[in-house]
Amino acid sequence: AERIEGFSFGLFVYPLTRRLEPRNITLTVSLSLHVHRTLIQGDKKAGFSVFWADNGLDTGPILLQRECAVEPNDTVDTLYNRFLFPEGIKAMVESVQLIADGKAPRIPQTEEGASYEGIQKKSNAKVNLAQPAEAIHNWIRGHDKVPGAWTVIGGQSVTFYGSSMLGGSAAAGQPLEIEGASQPGIVTKNGLVLYGTDGKALVVKNLQFEDGKMIPASKYFSSGESSSVELTDDEKKMAEEIRNIWKGILSNVSAIEDTTDFFKSGAASMDVVRLVEEVKQKCAGVQLQNEDVYMATTFQDFIQMFVRRLRGEDQEEELVVDYATKDVNNMTVKMPYQCFINGSFEDAENDKTYDTINPTDGSVICKVSYTSVGDVDRAVAAAKEAYENGPWGRMNPRDRGSLLYKLADLMEEHQEELATIESIDSGAVYTLALKTHVGMSIQTFRYFAGWCDKIQGKTIPINQARPNRNLTFTKKEPLGVCAIVIPWNYPLMMLAWKSAACLAAGNTLVLKPAQVTPLTALKFAELSVKAGIPKGVINILPGSGGMVGQRLSDHPDIRKLGFTGSTPIGKQIMKSCAVSNLKKVSLELGGKSPLIIFSDCDMDKALRMGMSSVYFNKGENCIAAGRLFVEESIHDEYISRVVEEIKKMKIGDPLDRSTDHGPQNHKAHLDKLLEYCEIGLKEGATLVYGGKQVDRPGFFMEPTVFTDVEDHMFIAKEESFGPIMVVSKFRNGDVDGVLQRANDTEYGLASGVFTRDINKAMYVSERLEAGTVFVNTYNKTDVASPFGGFKQSGFGKDLGEDALMEYLKTKAVTVEY
């Protein structure tokens, strides 16, 4: 291997294709200064150079270069995370390979663009506000993070972070005089709006003061909220009365000082109740809860909290939601459509949006915020703050469970609205959405809410080392910030399966719904606020899987990523998680689940459940039976009866209560299914029924049946993820033969067998290589039963106690006494 020295990434390149003599290579990457200049000047392209090092002047010959487009609201951080870091790693590997192969060029550098004046000095970073808005924006984003563009507000220097151009008109707000500005800024709910000399505007998200304190720009006029409040004479008298209450409870303490800590002085949970009730009795009308004592444990902090509560100053801000509304299904559904970060809905940093489509007719439901890399970083920072310093991490587990129960109750209260949104956004038949998509989501949150106060470690006997003795015990602790990436087939249920266990374990989360089905996840975010889940605990980021999912995989502050989706994407996620910070991963990936139907089955049941195994939820079902093996003696009868039943199925509007089969989730998926059928025909399988798009608006596909499917065929090996029944015969009595064929796949998610012979059923279930085996049933999942695959269907479990363990870590403690 060759070691690269003098490179800030600390990259090591491991064995190449041929053995090399050990030698050092010094290469340099030119990154930050050029990127700052690129952004300040408003360039449309950025890039980096890998060049041979000289005497430290960074003017050596160029080995290779890479470039990328600059987005309108890019910062150094976003370019670094999206392009410079991942492509820089690849470029260094490529550079070493070129050197090893003797093909590395040495291209002389030109003097163009080689100016290195001190643009990163704070003294030089003051922003000139007397220029067009785009120039102001470019200056701020070019100095974002280091050293920070600043100006003078109210006599002190204030640094701007997180600039983006304002697309429309500014929201209502409070004017703010700013030195050198062409007109006053406006403090709005979205941030500080600044105007350029051309009348255009930009929005700044965060402000930092001279003492280092950073606040959201939207909180400028309430930025002193956390400082001590001056008490009036009446409030001082009340504080002394409360001091006497503390003295009565903490009788072992000689004097109650401002720094006296309630719990360190010996108070217990019963004392908390007494304190709250005595204060409420003494000061009628004040709203006080037990949790408030845990959040303000010293006398001084308690009094400050109490006075603000008395004045009504620390009431939670009411959640502001800009809804997209739609009159549908005999109701008006109200759908949030913005990113949900740190307890509030807000536009994406770059103001980008995209259309989410109703698959029933191809119409646009609404525009949804298109999350940027900067939004991901802010969401992760909010989740980290909520975990490390917020009330969630300090909350009694039973209280945490109470909040999850309340969230489940709110989901049940809104179940018709959630099911309606699910139907129009994903194409799910309403009755199925009501029972499964939403119903099982509610059950999942209730199940895991009950686990919150039952997470236990254990004591372990170890060898005693005389004369001392030892006690070893284990603790189950949360992981920290977790990322969750979910698919489009069960948008709400997949959210529930992963996030309920994650939250019950005490973690915080950043969740990315599928780009094509974001709406129930955003509605869930709204309900989480109503349930009292603290800010930052839940963050929802709609948008691109390639961009958002990749950043979540790469982010160093995320400790666990749970993913449900395709096997190729799962492999990429696992690789990124390993390279970034070795974060824990659980993957529920593709499947080609076999269903074996023996001639001694209950034919009516095998018919009904066999059809459900394929056509449930339009075939968009991870555990769908990807291939049916039907014993030869009943094969023709089985197929004939399947076709009869398909002809009775009603295909149509998923909101019609009598509909059996709704539209496929999105057009690209429908096109893929039609191509799948074409491949099956070309390879020689027999198309018995369907295989075509339904002649009506929307993305509807006919339920399809293929027979005479041989083991080597594409449709015998690859998952369709649609309403396509793939059937193969097997010889009468050939149990071991059909088992070998069923297991001849790299997938192992689910499987099934139908037979009246219990011995045969047990024999087959023991030998099927899958995480779930259904015997004389199918699709019967339960919140208490673990779910997950083998082989390339992934690893880790959803549901049941096993899922909880996916979001916990075990700490062993040994005490010598």
Side-chain angles (χ1 to χ4, degrees), residues 629-776:
F629 294 92
V630 182
E631 199 160 7
E632 193 171 26
S633 60
I634 62 168
H635 175 274
D636 292 348
E637 178 191 356
Y638 189 85
I639 298 301
S640 175
R641 291 188 62 180
V642 164
V643 172
E644 283 180 25
E645 292 303 313
I646 288 176
K647 291 177 180 178
K648 299 174 187 176
M649 292 171 66
K650 180 178 178 180
I651 302 173
D653 184 351
L655 293 174
D656 184 334
R657 304 309 192 262
S658 62
T659 295
D660 298 299
H661 189 77
Q664 304 310 134
N665 188 276
H666 51 283
K667 187 177 185 303
H669 182 54
L670 172 63
D671 293 341
K672 179 184 173 185
L673 294 175
L674 296 173
E675 181 184 2
Y676 187 93
C677 291
E678 290 175 7
I679 294 172
L681 279 171
K682 287 178 183 176
E683 287 191 325
T686 301
L687 179 62
V688 177
Y689 192 89
K692 301 189 297 295
Q693 182 174 354
V694 178
D695 185 18
R696 59 168 293 160
F699 311 138
F700 292 85
M701 181 174 180
E702 295 177 341
T704 299
V705 180
F706 276 103
T707 60
D708 302 320
V709 178
E710 299 178 13
D711 295 351
H712 64 84
M713 292 180 178
F714 176 84
I715 63 172
K717 294 182 175 296
E718 295 300 322
E719 180 181 27
S720 72
F721 212 64
I724 303 172
M725 182 178 284
V726 175
V727 186
S728 300
K729 290 181 187 177
F730 68 94
R731 294 195 310 273
N732 294 332
D734 188 12
V735 177
D736 289 325
V738 74
L739 273 170
Q740 184 177 351
R741 295 173 70 189
N743 287 330
D744 186 20
T745 173
E746 273 299 298
Y747 298 113
L749 189 56
S751 59
V753 55
F754 279 85
T755 176
R756 284 191 173 96
D757 185 340
I758 187 62
N759 292 321
K760 186 190 296 181
M762 295 304 296
Y763 180 86
V764 170
S765 66
E766 287 175 2
R767 286 159 178 77
L768 283 168
E769 297 169 358
T772 297
V773 181
F774 298 108
V775 178
N776 293 328

Side-chain angles (χ1 to χ4, degrees), residues 163 276 324 326 535 553 582 693:
S163 172
V276 168
K326 197 171 185 68
K535 289 182 178 181
S553 301
L582 209 64
Q693 182 174 354

